[in-house]
Amino acid sequence: MGRKGRRLQDSAGKAISGGLPTAGDGALPAGHDVRLFHVIGVLMSLLSAAVFAAFANPATAPTYGLLAFGSLCVAGVFAFAGWRAREQQAAAAVRLALWSGIGLLSVITLGMGEGVHAVALGFFAVLICVATIVLGLRDGVGMAVFCLCWVLGLAAAELAGWVRGAAAVPASPLAMRVLTLLMMVACSLGVGLVLARLVTAQLQAVRARGQRVRSLFEQSPVAMLLHRDGVLLDANRVATALVGLPPDARGADASVLPDGPGTRALRAVRAHASALDAAAAGAALPRAALGVRAPGAQEDELALQVSAIRVAVEGGAATLSIVFDDTERARAEAEARRAEALLVELLAASPDGIVLTRGDGEVLLVNGRLAALLGRAPGDVAGSRLADLGLWWDEAERLRFRAELQARGRVRNLPGAFVTQGGEVREFALAANAVRIDGEVHCVAISRDVTEHERARRELQAILDTAALGIGLTRNGVITRVNGAFHEIFGYAPEDAAGMPTLRLWKSPAYAEEMTVRFMPALQRGELVDFEAEMRRADGTGIRCRLRSRTVDPACTLDGGRVWLVEDVT
């Protein structure tokens, strides 16, 4: 799976699976809620000090004075903790304040001698509740264990006679006990107010987070489908548009939906994620390629890249599948593979030698025709330098080819000679183009073997040049080729005669039309014609010639070309 895909999967999975903070995580109140908690602690401590001071008498003055001083110290601790309760220090400040309160209560129960009968022990439950909710389960259990051990110690001390216990209760003023209970009620009410504000703030945060998650889910540019045990729970708009989900897909089992592109895609995604059905939240599957194909089709109608992650949602764990549409890329790659295969077939079937080289002459691709000429397999030629293959018969021709390609970016019909593996020299007509591939200049060269054609041309030219009769070739009323005897008869050099209309050889245009009417039907039937006619030389003088002519290609008598034998009979 790509890095970007993993980021999308992780962020989406965390967004969907996120929930309320647990008791084990702790949920510190923020801002004014922290200050309110410490204000309550300071007020309760000051009020406790005031109570001890108010009910002190000569007999209890040392004990109550010490307890009043301890209460004032705890009030100072709460005030200091509130001042230090910034966001990054809130947990430590609350923990210090709570343990200070536990310590003060422990001293009160021991100093007043009431032990387990002390009304102040009720504050233990309040402080333990606050610690568990605000700081977490570990702090709450720690305080509960300490308080339990302290209560058991007080009970043991009373049994041993070290603490008066129940005997000390009558000595405690009734008004003081009532005030203690009222303080406990007020403290519980204040703590409840703080916790209520905390829970409200957490619920609002969760609601806002849920709205953000829903907005992310719906507006995400990535297709997402949430499903459990084959049943589609939800899908964002991109997923709905991508796979073309039917209207009744949500809440339905994909196996019972009517067949269609959307249903087939949903089944494919479901099958990919089935390995996570029994997994816990957080388990994930890497990205995999899925092809969705209609029954009997030869190609996929959709190409998908799918990853999956198990998330915790309402009703239990479900699977979030993240789908990327890869159809266009897959089709482009398939088209590129078909084009490459076609190119390979064309190269193999071509009667011409074809080679692709880098700008430095390194051979990248060579077809079978050129490889056969070199007497080597195509794979053996690739990677070699063209100049090192000993292909050129004349090094000057190679340099001329390279210079023209560099100067013009292309070469057309450049003659050249190659040496085969057997040492035979073969003539070629060369064509090449400079092309840019991935920013680098390459050369595509085509070589056509014209050895036999050139030999036939030279042999024909030798026959024409040694013939005593004038010989000319025409096509569509235009001279294409003549020999030396033709030049002697009419006075036109071979290079001047080529491309000249035959009308200029006749005595006059009217006479040329008359000869055409008389002999053209026979020529069109492929017959040989033999006649004498009045002609005209290049200098304008008239001559009489015997003409014999026949169509070169009997299968194409209209424009297949004609050969003429001319004899001066003047």
Side-chain angles (χ1 to χ4, degrees):
M1 180 187 297
R3 185 176 300 173
K4 180 179 179 182
R6 286 195 295 269
R7 288 200 302 267
L8 287 171
Q9 172 179 300
D10 293 343
S11 61
K14 291 177 181 178
I16 299 298
S17 61
L20 281 168
T22 63
D25 298 329
L28 285 173
H32 55 275
D33 293 327
V34 174
R35 292 191 295 271
L36 180 59
F37 171 78
H38 289 289
V39 167
I40 293 175
V42 170
L43 291 178
M44 290 297 104
S45 300
L46 293 177
L47 186 58
S48 176
V51 168
F52 285 122
F55 288 95
N57 53 48
T60 61
T63 301
Y64 280 18
L66 182 62
L67 293 177
F69 177 74
S71 298
L72 291 175
C73 291
V74 172
V77 171
F78 270 98
F80 175 76
W83 175 68
R84 297 284 293 177
R86 300 181 180 91
E87 183 176 354
Q88 67 273 20
Q89 301 170 335
V94 172
R95 188 175 290 111
L96 174 64
L98 290 176
W99 278 107
S100 299
I102 292 288
L104 175 62
L105 293 174
S106 301
V107 172
I108 290 175
T109 56
L110 185 62
M112 294 184 66
E114 295 179 352
V116 295
H117 303 283
V119 178
L121 287 178
F123 283 104
F124 277 173
V126 176
L127 295 180
I128 291 173
C129 177
V130 172
T132 303
I133 296 177
V134 174
L135 297 178
L137 184 62
R138 180 183 300 177
D139 287 271
V141 170
M143 287 188 179
V145 170
F146 173 83
C147 293
L148 176 62
C149 293
W150 182 257
V151 170
L152 293 176
L154 290 176
E158 184 176 351
L159 292 175
W162 299 339
V163 176
R164 290 188 299 163
V169 173
S172 177
L174 177 63
M176 183 176 180
R177 297 177 64 84
V178 172
L179 284 175
T180 302
L181 290 174
L182 291 177
M183 288 170 58
M184 188 182 303
V185 172
C187 181
S188 300
L189 181 61
V191 171
L193 176 61
V194 173
L195 295 181
R197 293 171 66 90
L198 170 65
V199 171
T200 301
Q202 288 296 317
L203 289 177
Q204 291 175 347
V206 169
R207 190 177 299 110
R209 183 180 182 182
Q211 292 174 350
R212 290 195 301 270
V213 169
R214 187 66 195 178
S215 177
L216 170 66
F217 183 76
E218 286 296 337
Q219 299 180 14
S220 171
V222 178
M224 298 182 186
L225 299 100
L226 187 66
H227 51 95
R228 181 193 298 122
D229 299 327
V231 177
L232 181 65
L233 303 179
D234 204 354
N236 65 354
R237 56 181 181 82
V238 178
T240 302
L242 172 61
V243 301
L245 291 176
D248 54 349
R250 286 179 174 81
D253 194 325
S255 61
V256 301
L257 292 174
D259 189 55
T263 302
R264 289 191 289 270
L266 189 59
R267 291 171 182 167
V269 172
R270 162 69 187 131
H272 167 263
S274 60
L276 294 177
D277 284 350
L285 289 179
R287 184 184 297 189
L290 298 182
V292 181
R293 182 175 300 183
Q298 299 297 320
E299 294 184 353
D300 294 337
E301 56 187 348
L302 284 177
L304 307 175
Q305 293 282 338
V306 182
S307 58
I309 183 172
R310 198 71 170 165
V311 297
V313 295
E314 184 180 358
T319 302
L320 178 69
S321 291
I322 303 171
V323 185
F324 298 87
D325 185 5
D326 208 29
T327 306
E328 293 300 325
R329 186 193 62 81
R331 288 176 179 173
E333 288 185 352
E335 187 64 30
R337 288 193 295 269
R338 285 193 292 267
E340 183 177 355
L342 177 60
L343 177 60
V344 171
E345 292 296 328
L346 290 175
L347 290 177
S350 174
D352 299 327
I354 303 175
V355 62
L356 173 65
T357 63
R358 296 186 188 274
D360 59 1
E362 179 187 353
V363 177
L364 299 179
L365 177 67
V366 63
N367 73 335
R369 178 69 182 91
L370 187 57
L373 178 66
L374 297 171
R376 301 169 66 178
D380 296 336
V381 179
S384 304
R385 287 178 57 85
L386 198 59
D388 299 335
L389 296 176
L391 187 61
W392 294 86
W393 180 68
D394 186 352
E395 180 65 13
E397 292 181 348
R398 186 186 73 83
L399 296 177
R400 184 168 63 252
F401 172 85
R402 184 178 181 84
E404 185 171 343
L405 182 63
Q406 290 178 343
R408 304 174 56 189
R410 62 186 182 91
V411 175
R412 293 292 182 269
N413 294 324
L414 182 70
F418 292 165
V419 181
T420 68
Q421 184 71 11
E424 180 186 3
V425 178
R426 305 286 296 181
E427 296 181 70
F428 287 84
L430 305 176
N433 264 23
V435 296
R436 189 171 293 275
I437 302 176
D438 295 333
E440 184 179 353
V441 176
H442 293 66
C443 173
V444 179
I446 301 175
S447 55
R448 173 163 296 177
D449 190 347
V450 295
T451 304
E452 303 303 329
H453 172 77
E454 287 299 309
R455 287 175 181 172
R457 183 188 64 79
R458 285 192 290 269
E459 290 171 357
L460 175 60
Q461 189 64 47
I463 293 174
L464 292 176
D465 291 341
T466 57
L469 298 178
I471 302 176
L473 297 174
T474 66
R475 183 181 297 274
N476 295 325
V478 176
I479 298 173
T480 59
R481 194 171 190 178
V482 298
N483 67 345
F486 189 94
H487 162 65
E488 295 176 358
I489 294 173
F490 289 99
Y492 291 102
E495 59 272 16
D496 295 333
M500 186 179 71
T502 57
L503 186 63
R504 295 173 58 180
L505 300 178
W506 299 98
K507 182 176 65 173
S508 66
Y511 186 74
E513 180 68 24
E514 178 185 348
M515 294 297 103
T516 300
V517 173
R518 287 178 58 187
F519 299 105
M520 183 57 71
L523 289 172
Q524 291 178 346
R525 291 192 297 269
E527 300 174 359
L528 174 66
V529 297
D530 187 343
F531 61 96
E532 292 185 2
E534 299 295 329
M535 310 299 288
R536 184 173 54 184
R537 291 172 55 87
D539 58 6
T541 59
I543 58 173
R544 188 171 182 83
C545 297
R546 182 184 177 187
L547 304 176
R548 279 167 286 182
S549 179
R550 174 173 282 174
T551 300
V552 175
D553 184 3
C556 185
T557 58
L558 293 178
D559 58 355
R562 295 175 179 85
V563 58
W564 296 83
L565 300 181
V566 184
E567 181 182 0
D568 186 359
V569 294
T570 306

